[in-house]
Amino acid sequence: MYKILLVEDDEIISKSIKQHLGNWNFEVVIAQDFRNITKEFNECNAHIVLLDLILPFYDGFYWCKEIRKISNVPIVFISSASDNMNIVMAVNMGGDDFIPKPFNVSVLLAKIQAILRRTYDMPSGISILEHKGIILNLNDFTLSYRDKSMELTKNEFRILETLLVNKGKIVSRDALMMKLWQDDNYVEENTLTVNVTRLRKKLEDFGVDDFIKTKVGSGYIIEL
């Protein structure tokens, strides 16, 4: 089980994050002594730190700098103070990522999983695919973006999963048709076009346009 030190002084936010990440088998330790976060970090032995920027006594930049003196543990800033200057400073101080508030907890989960995989060779039993804020949950066929979520049909899910796994690459119509034939039921070629159209419409309902691009004569692509 991976351990997370959460440095967040808003109790409602911290409890919500702890509950959600706990559901995914993460142990979340909420910092209590905002005068001495370094001590909390040393006692926690965390694999990753979630660090708010605006805190009592000292800000997140200060604590990031202090932690960096003793550890290379991944640090993710979570803050509503998300102007470009703060994001640049967070990276320069040694932060690994910056997630603006308010955020979808599914986005937070996807970011944490990605960082842990890179840092600790976390097993690739991926439960979420994420790209540009779009979250595909592989466990329950749901599509999320910011504070919205909706269910996908089996075919819509298979199409989006294949495109996300191969993002940056053109996926041929034949490859997608094979994906739709997984359960050995015959699928007409027009079914692919219909499902891509419906999938695009659902993304547009989230306010995300042109997420899936058509490459005439080749197939479809989600660009990097």
Side-chain angles (χ1 to χ4, degrees):
M1 179 182 291
Y2 287 91
K3 186 181 289 187
I4 299 170
L5 175 62
L6 174 58
V7 186
E8 165 64 68
D9 62 324
D10 187 311
E11 290 188 12
I12 295 176
I13 294 176
S14 60
K15 288 179 180 178
S16 174
I17 292 174
K18 179 172 183 174
Q19 179 181 359
H20 184 81
L21 295 182
N23 292 336
W24 292 91
N25 266 348
F26 289 103
E27 180 183 351
V28 180
V29 177
I30 300 174
Q32 302 296 322
D33 184 2
F34 292 100
R35 292 181 184 272
N36 199 345
I37 295 300
T38 306
K39 178 174 179 288
E40 298 248 352
F41 173 75
N42 285 328
E43 293 176 350
C44 175
N45 196 27
H47 296 94
I48 189 169
V49 177
L50 301 182
L51 181 60
D52 194 6
L53 185 55
I54 302 172
L55 296 166
F57 308 113
Y58 302 97
D59 64 19
F61 293 141
Y62 174 84
W63 291 120
C64 181
K65 185 171 64 174
E66 292 301 299
I67 292 172
R68 278 289 168 262
K69 291 178 181 178
I70 57 176
S71 175
N72 289 320
V73 67
I75 298 174
V76 177
F77 281 87
I78 51 173
S79 178
S80 56
S82 56
D83 58 88
N84 289 338
M85 181 61 71
N86 281 334
I87 294 174
V88 170
M89 285 184 64
V91 173
N92 289 338
M93 288 285 182
D96 294 87
D97 208 335
F98 193 112
I99 305 178
K101 294 178 184 176
F103 52 78
N104 186 309
V105 285
S106 296
V107 174
L108 177 63
L109 174 62
K111 296 274 192 180
I112 289 172
Q113 288 181 324
I115 290 173
L116 289 175
R117 281 196 302 274
R118 292 196 301 267
T119 307
Y120 303 107
D121 292 326
M122 180 180 170
S124 59
I126 302 171
S127 56
I128 283 177
L129 294 174
E130 185 271 339
H131 185 59
K132 295 183 178 179
I134 290 292
I135 304 290
L136 181 65
N137 190 315
L138 306 186
N139 293 325
D140 62 9
F141 285 26
T142 56
L143 178 67
S144 303
Y145 182 68
R146 294 180 178 172
D147 59 344
K148 300 178 182 178
S149 182
M150 69 173 69
E151 291 187 4
L152 299 180
T153 66
K154 179 175 65 177
N155 284 342
E156 291 166 350
F157 170 82
R158 287 177 174 174
I159 292 167
L160 187 55
E161 178 191 20
T162 304
L163 292 174
L164 283 170
V165 168
N166 295 280
K167 61 179 180 286
K169 303 175 184 177
I170 297 174
V171 180
S172 69
R173 289 181 61 88
D174 286 344
L176 288 173
M177 289 293 292
M178 289 298 293
K179 190 72 174 178
L180 298 187
W181 287 339
Q182 278 186 348
D183 53 8
D184 294 329
N185 290 329
Y186 176 72
V187 178
E188 294 183 356
E189 186 172 356
N190 186 54
T191 300
L192 175 59
T193 303
V194 170
N195 277 275
V196 170
T197 300
R198 288 176 178 168
L199 189 52
R200 282 173 167 158
K201 177 62 169 60
K202 289 185 176 182
L203 289 164
E204 289 170 1
D205 289 343
F206 279 162
V208 180
D209 297 326
D210 216 20
F211 190 73
I212 300 173
K213 296 182 182 292
T214 300
K215 296 296 182 180
V216 178
S218 300
Y220 301 96
I221 185 173
I222 293 176
E223 295 181 338
L224 296 175

